[in-house]
Amino acid sequence: NMLQVLPLEDRQSFYRTLQEERRSLYSGNAPTLVPVCVDDLAKPLDAPGRRTYSYFQSFKKSRNINWENKITRRSLDFRLEYEAMPFIGRISPTPLLMIVAENDIITPTNIALRAFDRALEPKRLMLMRGDHYAPYTEGFGESSAAARDWFVEHLT
């Protein structure tokens, strides 16, 4: 999904940055740390980076945890290698519950729905209104109840 959410015009620069990081690591340098998300005031409040920043800051404050807004640049490189789609049909007969937000542009809804279609039974799809964070925020009661019921049904 990373390539789907990364604008085409930014890809060449992104790949160049990853190549520079590989060279730096190969030379023995420590991994470069970059922010997970930023509160870019030039973008709308519901822009993915701003929404993520807001979510993590709220989560951190409400639970009084020491989360730092950092990730290694190398982690982004590894993320490009992650590909679950070829394996989704192989997890059966393990029960699969997918809780998917209708308007998710961080983990694009269309990719999640394609994965669900490829999965074998037993499976259940819960499609929720909202964006990526809806199941964790305003829809948490609904999503957590669905997860609880699924676990009770399949783990007991």
Side-chain angles (χ1 to χ4, degrees):
N1 75 358
M2 192 163 176
L3 293 179
Q4 183 169 326
V5 300
L6 186 65
L8 212 53
E9 62 272 10
D10 295 341
R11 288 186 188 171
Q12 188 174 12
S13 173
F14 178 70
Y15 287 127
R16 191 171 34 255
T17 300
L18 294 180
Q19 185 61 31
E20 290 167 5
E21 181 70 2
R22 288 183 203 120
R23 285 187 187 111
S24 176
L25 292 169
Y26 182 77
S27 296
N29 296 314
T32 304
L33 296 175
V34 295
V36 172
C37 50
V38 294
D39 191 22
D40 184 350
L41 300 177
K43 295 187 177 178
L45 278 172
D46 63 348
R50 291 196 76 190
R51 181 80 161 114
T52 299
Y53 184 87
S54 174
Y55 174 78
F56 279 129
Q57 293 307 315
S58 173
F59 188 84
K60 178 180 171 179
K61 184 177 180 182
S62 69
R63 289 171 177 73
N64 195 28
I65 60 172
N66 183 25
W67 177 78
E68 294 185 36
N69 185 18
K70 298 177 187 174
I71 189 171
T72 62
R73 187 167 281 144
R74 187 176 187 193
S75 296
L76 299 174
D77 202 358
F78 289 149
R79 186 173 171 198
L80 285 173
E81 295 178 22
Y82 177 75
E83 178 57 65
M85 203 66 81
F87 306 101
I88 191 77
R90 297 179 184 177
I91 65 169
S92 182
T94 302
L96 173 69
L97 169 65
M98 289 182 65
I99 300 174
V100 177
E102 288 179 343
N103 300 310
D104 196 334
I105 58 175
I106 294 172
T107 304
T109 304
N110 65 331
I111 294 174
L113 295 178
R114 278 198 321 263
F116 183 80
D117 286 344
R118 285 186 176 185
L120 304 175
E121 296 291 340
K123 64 181 181 178
R124 178 172 169 232
L125 173 67
M126 178 180 189
L127 198 56
M128 295 190 69
R129 286 192 191 127
D131 69 2
H132 180 81
Y133 294 102
Y136 311 112
T137 55
E138 62 268 15
F140 183 74
E142 186 182 358
S143 63
S144 62
R148 178 205 57 223
D149 294 347
W150 182 260
F151 292 138
V152 166
E153 179 181 349
H154 293 282
L155 294 179
T156 56

